Amino acid sequence: MSGISKIVGRGVYVPGNDIDTDRIIPARYLKCVTFDELGPALFYDVRFNEDGTSKNHPLDAPEHQGAEILISDNNFGCGSSREHAPQAIQKFGLQAVIAGSFAEIFHGNCTTLGIPCIVMDKDNREKLVAAVQDSPDAEIIIDLEALQVICSNSIYPMTMKESAREAFLAATFDPLDNLLSATSEIRQIAEKLGYA
Amino acid sequence: MGRNLFQKVWDDHVVRQLDSGQYQVFVALHMIHEVTSPQAFGMLKDKGLKVAYPERTCATVDHIIPTDDQSRPLSDEMAEKMIQVLSDATEESGIEYFAPQSGSQGIVHVVGPELGLTQPGMTICCGDSHTATHGAFGCIALGIGTSQVRDVLASQTLAMDPLKVRRIDVEGELPPGVTAKDVILHIIRLLGVNGGVGYAYEYAGSAIDNMSMEERMTVCNMSIEGGARCGYINPDETTFEYLKGKEKVPAGSDFDEAVERWKSYASDADADYDDIVTIQAADLRPTVTWGVTPAQAITIEERVPSPDEVDGLEKNLITDALDYMQLEADAPIKGTRIDVAFIGSCTNGRLSDFEAVAEVIAGKKVADNVRAIAVPGSEKVDKAARAAGLDKVFAEAGFEWRLPGCSMCLAMNPDKLVGSEICASSSNRNFIGRQGSPTGRTILMSPVMVAAAAIEGRVADAREVFELTGAAS
Ligand code: SF4
């Protein structure tokens, strides 16, 4: 695993507060035993009518095809703990999410998968969104080291959970190897608490 | 300064601090089900890993299982496959599996407590956000994603940040017709859907103390709907009484010893909290949602809000929610016509929920325009309800009595809303499309309020419909 210090790509804005994981990936797409096929189902019911015709969602706008950075509003990813939501985001080709705030379980799931969740205040987000709408081709650089987002020669301050930032930079965002390196300490706790 | 329950359980279960600053926490009980867990076994295989502590994980099937015909193979091939992958994986790894027709199958958060797997002072994880339910027993119970399910299977531990603790005191006696569901809907309305981010909620106060374990589970269940990572209630005599004699609970002198240990986890009287909120039980009324988040709730006596009352983003939220729900601004919620009534889910699918409803619907009939279903939370609930003749009371009133499962709470099985049908539901989420139709609508409420709506064919005040004047049920 290598570290993540920068994400570079084009942006797409999906407006709304409290966008829940049922909306990010409707429950019927949870019928799967691997996550591989989830990309096309991202935001399905907000992107398509029941007859399959497009609702002209930003993700389907020609100018945003191939965008790598999702921008949204407050409390993004609330609701169900389904990892299918960040999996669908990643399989769709998105590499980072910028929002006003995130729901916790969603944030944790994203971090483990290597999707940085970037927090940006409303003023800066509005300016960034305006920049993306004006020139959808503009490159956005998310710099985790400098805690800056750069787009069209403007710099937007960002924050993120410090433990997640550390983990991205140190390439330990998938914690499993780290967790497994403490087998004897784990055993001790299990025995002490009568769990083993 | 004393410690609260969260701190005590945390201190006992922390293995060490990780370089990232997070902590590695031992998981005492891990529960898995067919929707978010089969993928984790694949991930383990890819890494050549085995389940480290199979005796600390239990499995059941609930999310996708049909509630009308459970004969195998299931007609939905993918559902069949998911259940098969889970049962094969559990067999291979030596994990106990509560299969359909075993007598112990059911919704994961109903099964854990009724078997006595859930015990005070534990850290509990499950790939499901309503794991907080188990907090009713004084546990730190967390919903996790599939990669974390993998972590727990492989190491029995989890990487996480510590939480702040907000104590929410509900003081006094609940008025007649006001239930545990109304308490938690009120709390979420008050503190917002993200008011709990970064927190564990400790529910306390005399109204909580007086609740049964099943009512406490209803309250803790929806902690996540308020953004809290988990919610808990300090263990007390009610807790120990409930656990006594349960299948997985120690018996005899071991039980007495366990009780002493369990007691020690309760928050100290001088414990420190990051925040304290006090609510007067007497102020509460039967509460229902009007919008598309559980915080968009009002009492049955109130009117739906109007976007004109507020500015900015809030305005759009109200306008969008009203549009979606096809409700008129500033109109009373009472009287809103419904199509479907659903009683069930891990929030309100326990025996006491069906008992409370049976008591009031006996001799009454579901309105002609309403499709009403009652889905017990587990095989044990189903069995006990049938033994008491509740299934007949429901059937005579016009409810369909189903087999156990999550059913219309998330509609991954054939139980779904059709088109823009509107459902009075005892479940926990009224998100857009939650009940299986992209345009389906949900109004959350307590089981007795669902029963009142089913009978009237409209959102109604259970206190009037059933003349509830006595003690709260
Ligand atoms: S009943 Fe609903 S909320 Fe509870 S576990 Fe099942 S799907 Fe999740």
Side-chain angles (χ1 to χ4, degrees):
Chain A
M1 201 160 62
S2 52
I4 299 174
S5 57
K6 261 197 183 80
I7 305 268
V8 182
R10 293 178 300 123
V12 54
Y13 177 49
V14 175
N17 284 340
D18 306 325
I19 292 187
D20 57 74
T21 52
D22 275 80
R23 225 176 306 171
I24 297 174
I25 182 105
R28 60 183 185 281
Y29 294 107
L30 310 190
K31 285 190 191 172
C32 57
V33 287
T34 69
F35 294 124
D36 303 342
E37 313 293 328
L38 290 178
L42 180 68
F43 281 114
Y44 194 89
D45 289 339
V46 243
R47 287 168 57 206
F48 302 102
N49 292 306
E50 276 173 86
D51 61 6
T53 52
S54 172
K55 290 186 184 173
N56 298 323
H57 187 270
L59 284 180
D60 296 310
E63 66 274 23
H64 292 309
Q65 291 313 296
E68 284 96 350
I69 296 166
L70 180 66
I71 309 169
S72 191
D73 297 312
N74 291 327
N75 200 26
F76 189 79
C78 62
S80 157
S81 59
R82 59 186 69 160
E83 187 169 304
H84 305 67
Q87 290 277 3
I89 287 174
Q90 193 168 55
K91 299 275 164 8
F92 189 84
L94 294 158
Q95 295 173 18
V97 186
I98 300 176
S101 63
F102 293 90
E104 271 179 302
I105 300 180
F106 176 82
H107 185 287
N109 286 340
C110 283
T111 305
T112 308
L113 295 181
I115 308 169
C117 290
I118 308 298
V119 176
M120 190 180 284
D121 66 31
K122 190 161 169 271
D123 281 356
N124 283 297
R125 234 167 47 241
E126 277 172 2
K127 286 183 205 147
L128 178 65
V129 167
V132 169
Q133 316 281 45
D134 278 354
S135 39
D137 280 332
E139 192 173 74
I140 299 176
I141 302 170
I142 301 175
D143 184 340
L144 301 192
E145 252 157 332
L147 284 172
Q148 285 177 343
V149 175
I150 302 160
C151 179
S152 305
N153 298 323
S154 296
I155 296 178
Y156 307 91
M158 57 169 258
T159 59
M160 68 186 299
K161 203 174 199 176
E162 189 49 31
S163 59
R165 190 174 85 107
E166 297 268 341
F168 284 122
L169 295 177
T172 55
F173 50 88
D174 182 342
L176 184 54
D177 292 339
N178 212 340
L179 295 176
L180 285 171
S181 69
T183 7
S184 61
E185 290 99 317
I186 298 172
R187 175 70 44 190
Q188 274 168 23
I189 294 264
E191 280 167 8
K192 188 187 87 187
L193 295 173
Y195 295 141
Chain B
M1 186 64 78
R3 290 180 301 161
N4 57 46
L5 180 139
F6 179 85
Q7 291 159 339
K8 293 185 193 187
V9 176
W10 175 268
D11 290 350
D12 265 8
H13 290 79
V14 163
V15 177
R16 59 175 176 160
Q17 188 167 20
L18 300 167
D19 293 338
S20 65
Q22 285 196 304
Y23 289 83
Q24 181 171 9
V25 180
F26 188 85
V27 175
L29 173 66
H30 181 213
M31 300 206 63
I32 58 176
H33 61 81
E34 79 279 25
V35 170
T36 59
S37 315
Q39 308 85 349
F41 287 96
M43 295 175 175
L44 278 196
K45 262 210 188 103
D46 289 348
K47 293 198 149 233
L49 294 166
K50 283 206 161 20
V51 178
Y53 292 76
E55 69 284 6
R56 303 237 62 86
T57 295
C58 295
T60 188
V61 285
D62 49 7
H63 283 68
I64 218 170
I65 191 116
T67 59
D68 45 3
D69 178 7
Q70 296 183 348
S71 50
R72 306 282 297 273
L74 301 173
S75 57
D76 178 338
E77 274 172 42
M78 201 59 212
E80 175 65 29
K81 183 166 179 198
M82 294 174 80
I83 291 178
Q84 202 51 49
V85 170
L86 183 77
S87 85
D88 290 350
T90 54
E91 197 179 318
E92 211 172 289
S93 358
I95 290 170
E96 191 170 9
Y97 169 49
F98 308 119
Q101 280 88 51
S102 66
S104 299
Q105 175 266 341
I107 304 174
V108 60
H109 313 308
V110 176
V111 165
E114 73 186 4
L115 289 173
L117 287 162
T118 304
Q119 295 173 14
M122 282 182 161
T123 44
I124 300 183
C125 285
C126 174
D128 185 284
S129 53
H130 293 95
T131 307
T133 315
H134 306 259
F137 292 80
C139 302
I140 302 306
L142 308 158
I144 56 178
T146 302
S147 294
Q148 287 178 304
V149 171
R150 173 206 63 179
D151 294 349
V152 178
L153 289 173
S155 72
Q156 205 57 34
T157 63
L158 190 71
M160 72 175 282
D161 295 297
L163 299 170
K164 293 183 283 185
V165 181
R166 170 179 292 142
R167 195 176 81 203
I168 302 174
D169 289 324
V170 187
E171 297 292 355
E173 216 174 301
L174 294 174
V178 176
T179 69
K181 181 65 158 285
D182 303 302
V183 171
I184 189 62
L185 283 173
H186 177 83
I187 290 173
I188 298 164
R189 174 188 186 181
L190 187 73
L191 302 174
V193 277
N194 54 4
V197 172
Y199 282 95
Y201 279 175
E202 175 176 312
Y203 304 100
S206 56
I208 302 285
D209 292 342
N210 288 332
M211 283 183 184
S212 70
M213 286 317 292
E214 300 203 345
E215 292 171 310
R216 293 179 187 186
M217 285 187 248
T218 299
V219 172
C220 290
N221 174 273
M222 290 188 69
S223 302
I224 187 74
E225 258 53 74
R229 191 66 211 280
C230 63
Y232 68 84
I233 292 168
N234 284 305
D236 62 6
E237 288 309 321
T238 307
T239 321
F240 311 142
E241 197 46 48
Y242 175 97
L243 287 171
K244 197 171 187 171
K246 292 270 184 292
E247 210 172 309
K248 304 282 183 180
V249 170
S253 62
D254 290 347
F255 178 76
D256 301 333
E257 231 173 79
V259 168
E260 283 318 304
R261 190 159 36 83
W262 294 341
K263 273 185 188 160
S264 72
Y265 283 107
S267 297
D268 296 324
D270 60 346
D272 199 16
Y273 294 91
D274 299 283
D275 190 26
I276 296 181
V277 173
T278 305
I279 291 165
Q280 296 304 329
D283 296 340
L284 303 188
R285 297 290 176 270
T287 299
V288 300
T289 58
W290 59 267
V292 295
T293 76
Q296 290 176 324
I298 52 178
T299 71
I300 187 69
E301 297 163 3
E302 284 174 86
R303 287 167 173 273
V304 170
S306 159
D308 302 339
E309 292 161 16
V310 291
D311 293 323
L313 257 177
E314 188 73 5
K315 205 186 201 63
N316 296 342
L317 281 178
I318 295 182
T319 312
D320 291 352
L322 289 178
D323 260 10
Y324 182 81
M325 292 298 293
Q326 301 174 27
L327 291 175
E328 232 172 279
D330 206 30
I333 189 78
K334 199 169 117 178
T336 305
R337 213 180 136 87
I338 63 151
D339 306 304
V340 178
F342 170 63
I343 300 181
S345 87
C346 60
T347 317
N348 284 118
R350 297 186 179 77
L351 186 61
S352 58
D353 296 309
F354 297 106
E355 285 172 340
V357 172
E359 200 174 307
V360 293
I361 58 166
K364 295 202 159 48
K365 283 268 179 249
V366 168
D368 288 341
N369 61 307
V370 175
R371 177 157 57 97
I373 64 171
V375 185
S378 71
E379 291 182 347
K380 283 196 173 16
V381 171
D382 183 41
K383 193 173 165 199
R386 284 175 193 275
L390 303 187
D391 59 324
K392 295 218 171 56
V393 178
F394 275 85
E396 273 159 25
F399 274 86
E400 228 184 292
W401 184 268
R402 294 292 191 85
L403 297 169
C406 296
S407 180
M408 214 180 262
C409 175
L410 97 162
M412 272 191 78
N413 71 357
D415 308 338
K416 293 182 199 315
L417 296 184
V418 181
S420 65
E421 275 185 333
I422 183 161
C423 178
S425 181
S426 76
S427 56
N428 46 47
R429 287 195 171 135
N430 52 340
F431 296 155
I432 290 173
R434 171 73 178 185
Q435 291 189 293
S437 162
T439 49
R441 298 168 291 156
T442 304
I443 301 186
L444 301 176
M445 58 185 84
S446 74
V448 273
M449 286 287 285
V450 174
I455 282 158
E456 295 293 309
R458 295 165 188 280
V459 175
D461 189 336
R463 298 171 302 179
E464 294 164 7
V465 179
F466 303 126
E467 293 167 20
L468 302 173
T469 48
S473 60

